[in-house]
Amino acid sequence: MSIIISDVSYHYSNLQALFEHVNFSVSSNRKVSIIGNNGTGKSTLLKLLAGELTPPVGTIQHPSQPYYIPQQIGITKQNISEALGVDKKIKALYAISNGSSDYVYYELLEDNWNIESRCRSALDYWGLTNIDLTSPLDSLSGGEKSKVFLAGLLIHKPDIILLDEPTNHLDQITREKLYNYIANCKATIIVVSHDVTLLNLLDTTYELSEKGIKVYGGNYTFYKEQKKIEEKALEQQINSEEANLRSVQKKAQEVQQRQDKRISQGNKSKQKGGVARIVMNARSNLAENSTAKLKEKHSDIIYNNQQKLKDLRQKQDANCELKIDFEDAQLHNGKLLASAINVNFEYTKDKTVWQNPLNTEIRSGERIQLTGNNGTGKTTLIKLLIGELSPTSGEIKKTDFSYIYIDQNYSQVNRDLTILELAQEYNKNNLLDHEIKLRLSRALFPQETWDKSCLVLSGGERMRLYLCCLMISNNIPDMFILDEPTNNLDLSSLSILTNTIKNYRGTILVISHDRNFIENIGISKSIDLNAM
């Protein structure tokens, strides 16, 4: 039995449409992705499918209750057994084990006599070996919370699975486990993600926009190929319409010239005489009326062609990818920028981040990835290198170099200012006001967005605005330090960031588990903190 979404619409509280008249279906055992720009309603659509929201318009049918893993796991007082929905069965198992013969406990437990061992096995599989079922969920990191809900997949074995950005907080080992699970799973799976590796495991791609949903019968690579074909066809259509418009304008001009010539000849005949004045006036009026009608007809044709061309160009502009390029860094390659000599750090007494002291160095021009599982101290190392932390033992040596640190939330933008106010704050070189506004427009922030608060921007919007602000300030760093910069980006924004960092010629230090991003930005060196 299929999941069927029929004529579903959803609106914000201010009645602005998020999406309207969405229709699609997902057959049993199919694996599909829902992609689209930030703000198109992908997460909202998953919540509707999960039953967490009710569509005000339209219907959703599915054969069984989906297992849903949200993108953001909010603050909760639940422990792990409650979050996994097994707390009542665990309680019943303990009661029966302690001698209770109450029928209620047997009814609750059903045939799940091995529920506790199944939970333990599932948690261990996802790397949560030191966490038990009574642990508070809020005591865990973002990655650990995601792993808890992934453990539920093995415990419940659901027929329908809904995943919203499931790889965001996962280390590479856990990502590989999830890829393997999805590749071999027989359930119906619907995924919202910007992780290209994950998207390529799914056999159908749904593109969500304010106009509805469009189905592409293949994985993400197939989708991209089809989009290129569509863009080429759109370009050809624009070229054809431009040719049509030129042809219509030329024809209108030629007709106008012929009519003007006839009227001129008529006026000459009128002046010479030989034809009754009343006849000449009638001919003159007829010619003028005919000219007016032709002019109106051609004006309508030209206007319709211009509108069609305008619509096509707007569509092309919407598909056009923003390009943000920085100038090259000024340092010559190979200069020693920072070195860690026998470094370690203690967050609590007698508990060091690394088992063995860390020795490494960073030279200008290198493109370095910090690798390691969650909790191996990748962000700690960055904070030591930039001086936010001081090593408990060992020494950090640094030369004078400039850097820009970008975290996954683009925190530099998360301020109580409007878009225009933040851009003006970065205007260190006294650019004229219209130059700032021009740069904002080029970064896809048109005039109607300038008064929008930075606090409500999506991840992709924050990324574009911050890069735009750096260009306004003309602050080209010697080093970009990126800490999971792709986590909250849609695919379009991810492509902009990837190309920007790829084209930048300077030193890069990056933490990222996004395999596709790492491959595309040209990493030349890795520092593996698993080995420390």
Side-chain angles (χ1 to χ4, degrees):
M1 186 176 176
S2 302
I3 300 171
I4 301 173
I5 294 86
S6 303
D7 201 34
V8 168
S9 298
Y10 197 83
H11 298 77
Y12 293 111
S13 55
N14 63 3
L15 301 181
Q16 180 185 354
L18 184 58
F19 49 76
E20 292 188 298
H21 309 298
V22 170
N23 293 276
F24 69 98
S25 62
V26 181
S27 302
S28 296
N29 309 123
R30 299 291 290 178
K31 301 170 186 177
V32 310
S33 66
I34 300 175
I35 65 172
N37 293 336
N38 284 348
T40 53
K42 303 183 297 295
S43 293
T44 299
L45 184 54
L46 275 197
K47 288 178 182 178
L48 289 166
L49 289 168
E52 293 202 354
L53 295 174
T54 301
V57 178
T59 60
I60 296 175
Q61 303 173 32
H62 38 64
S64 61
Q65 180 59 35
Y67 185 85
Y68 169 56
I69 301 182
Q71 179 179 353
Q72 300 291 341
I73 299 166
I75 298 173
T76 176
K77 294 182 179 179
Q78 291 181 317
N79 64 28
I80 289 177
S81 68
E82 291 168 332
L84 288 171
V86 297
D87 52 307
K88 292 179 180 178
K89 292 185 185 300
I90 295 291
K91 181 179 178 181
L93 177 64
Y94 286 172
I96 294 170
S97 299
N98 289 329
S100 175
S101 58
D102 192 328
Y103 175 73
V104 173
Y105 292 129
Y106 286 89
E107 191 175 43
L108 278 171
L109 189 59
E110 296 176 310
D111 291 326
N112 292 287
W113 296 98
N114 63 344
I115 184 64
E116 187 174 25
S117 62
R118 278 168 46 211
C119 290
R120 184 69 269 156
S121 175
L123 291 171
D124 290 348
Y125 177 80
W126 293 104
L128 300 173
T129 54
N130 298 321
I131 295 171
D132 59 43
L133 292 169
T134 59
S135 299
L137 191 65
D138 279 346
S139 67
L140 307 182
S141 68
E144 288 171 330
K145 287 179 182 178
S146 296
K147 292 176 185 180
V148 167
F149 286 93
L150 289 174
L153 295 171
L154 303 181
I155 295 167
H156 298 291
K157 295 182 171 58
D159 294 324
I160 300 173
I161 299 169
L162 309 176
L163 304 175
D164 192 355
E165 298 289 0
T167 61
N168 258 8
H169 302 288
L170 301 182
D171 55 42
Q172 194 58 47
I173 289 177
T174 311
R175 285 189 181 214
E176 295 295 339
K177 287 183 179 180
L178 179 59
Y179 298 152
N180 184 64
Y181 174 85
I182 288 175
N184 294 291
C185 182
K186 302 302 181 185
T188 303
I189 301 175
I190 302 177
V191 177
V192 168
S193 180
H194 67 270
D195 182 338
V196 174
T197 303
L198 174 55
L199 294 175
N200 275 332
L201 296 173
L202 310 170
D203 46 40
T204 306
T205 304
Y206 292 81
E207 183 185 52
L208 182 64
S209 70
E210 59 184 11
K211 296 179 181 179
I213 204 158
K214 187 172 182 179
V215 182
Y216 292 83
N219 64 9
Y220 182 71
T221 297
F222 175 83
Y223 160 81
K224 290 292 286 183
E225 290 169 353
Q226 293 303 303
K227 292 295 283 186
K228 286 180 182 177
I229 293 171
E230 289 177 5
E231 287 164 10
K232 189 173 182 179
L234 178 61
E235 186 178 350
Q236 290 173 342
Q237 194 176 357
I238 288 173
N239 292 338
S240 176
E241 287 299 329
E242 286 175 340
N244 287 341
L245 180 58
R246 287 193 297 269
S247 176
V248 170
Q249 289 173 328
K250 183 179 179 182
K251 185 175 181 181
Q253 186 178 9
E254 290 171 349
V255 169
Q256 182 65 46
Q257 287 172 346
R258 285 199 298 269
Q259 288 297 106
D260 290 344
K261 188 175 181 181
R262 286 185 190 134
I263 291 171
S264 176
Q265 289 172 343
N267 288 335
K268 288 178 181 178
S269 299
K270 188 176 179 180
Q271 290 170 2
K272 290 179 180 178
V275 180
R277 183 177 294 275
I278 191 170
V279 174
M280 290 300 301
N281 287 339
R283 287 178 179 175
S284 177
N285 290 337
L286 184 64
E288 287 175 2
N289 289 337
S290 176
T291 299
K293 287 180 180 178
L294 277 171
K295 187 179 289 186
E296 183 179 357
K297 180 180 178 182
H298 283 122
S299 293
D300 287 344
I301 294 172
I302 289 171
Y303 175 78
N304 290 334
N305 275 68
Q306 287 173 333
Q307 285 301 114
K308 188 183 292 185
L309 192 56
K310 180 182 177 183
D311 292 341
L312 290 171
R313 283 174 175 158
Q314 285 178 341
K315 190 174 179 181
Q316 187 181 48
D317 289 342
N319 293 337
C320 184
E321 187 173 283
L322 169 69
K323 288 181 172 61
I324 298 177
D325 291 322
F326 291 109
E327 295 177 9
D328 295 347
Q330 299 302 307
L331 292 178
H332 63 81
N333 286 350
K335 179 181 178 180
L336 182 62
L337 301 181
S339 58
I341 305 168
N342 294 323
V343 165
N344 220 323
F345 184 80
E346 293 180 0
Y347 278 107
T348 58
K349 188 172 177 59
D350 299 326
K351 187 176 181 182
T352 58
V353 174
W354 300 294
Q355 186 174 354
N356 301 308
L358 178 65
N359 289 277
T360 191
E361 62 181 31
I362 297 171
R363 294 184 178 273
S364 58
E366 291 182 323
R367 304 171 83 84
I368 303 169
Q369 180 190 12
L370 295 183
T371 63
N373 299 336
N374 291 342
T376 54
K378 298 184 295 296
T379 300
T380 299
L381 177 54
I382 284 178
K383 290 181 178 180
L384 288 166
L385 290 170
I386 64 178
E388 284 190 13
L389 294 175
S390 298
T392 308
S393 61
E395 182 182 10
I396 299 286
K397 289 185 176 181
K398 292 192 299 180
T399 55
D400 186 25
F401 65 91
S402 62
Y403 68 87
I404 287 176
Y405 175 60
I406 299 178
D407 62 20
Q408 62 182 286
N409 296 314
Y410 294 85
S411 301
Q412 299 91 338
V413 176
N414 196 26
R415 298 173 58 194
D416 191 13
L417 295 173
T418 67
I419 288 172
L420 182 57
E421 287 170 344
L422 186 71
Q424 289 169 334
E425 192 174 278
Y426 275 81
N427 184 20
K428 309 298 184 184
N429 296 307
N430 299 315
L431 295 176
L432 296 176
D433 194 51
H434 77 272
E435 293 177 311
I436 295 174
K437 292 174 178 177
L438 179 62
R439 282 164 173 76
L440 284 172
S441 296
R442 286 174 177 169
L444 307 183
F445 292 104
Q447 182 175 353
E448 58 269 21
T449 68
W450 295 343
D451 291 331
K452 189 176 182 180
S453 171
C454 294
L455 296 174
V456 300
L457 299 181
S458 68
E461 288 171 327
R462 289 198 299 272
M463 181 274 297
R464 281 192 280 112
L465 181 56
Y466 186 51
L467 294 184
C468 179
C469 286
L470 293 180
M471 294 185 73
I472 289 170
S473 69
N474 198 28
N475 182 11
I476 311 304
D478 298 321
M479 182 192 300
F480 268 114
I481 301 174
L482 309 168
D483 192 350
E484 297 288 4
T486 67
N487 270 7
N488 298 304
L489 304 185
D490 56 38
L491 287 160
S492 175
S493 300
L494 173 59
S495 182
I496 292 168
L497 178 67
T498 301
N499 289 328
T500 301
I501 298 302
K502 179 181 179 181
N503 294 329
Y504 164 72
R505 290 292 166 259
T507 311
I508 292 173
L509 182 62
V510 59
I511 298 172
S512 179
H513 300 295
D514 187 327
R515 184 195 301 169
N516 191 69
F517 176 69
I518 290 298
E519 288 175 355
N520 280 311
I521 64 173
I523 291 298
S524 59
K525 174 181 172 181
S526 292
I527 299 175
D528 184 8
L529 297 182
N530 283 326
M532 294 299 112

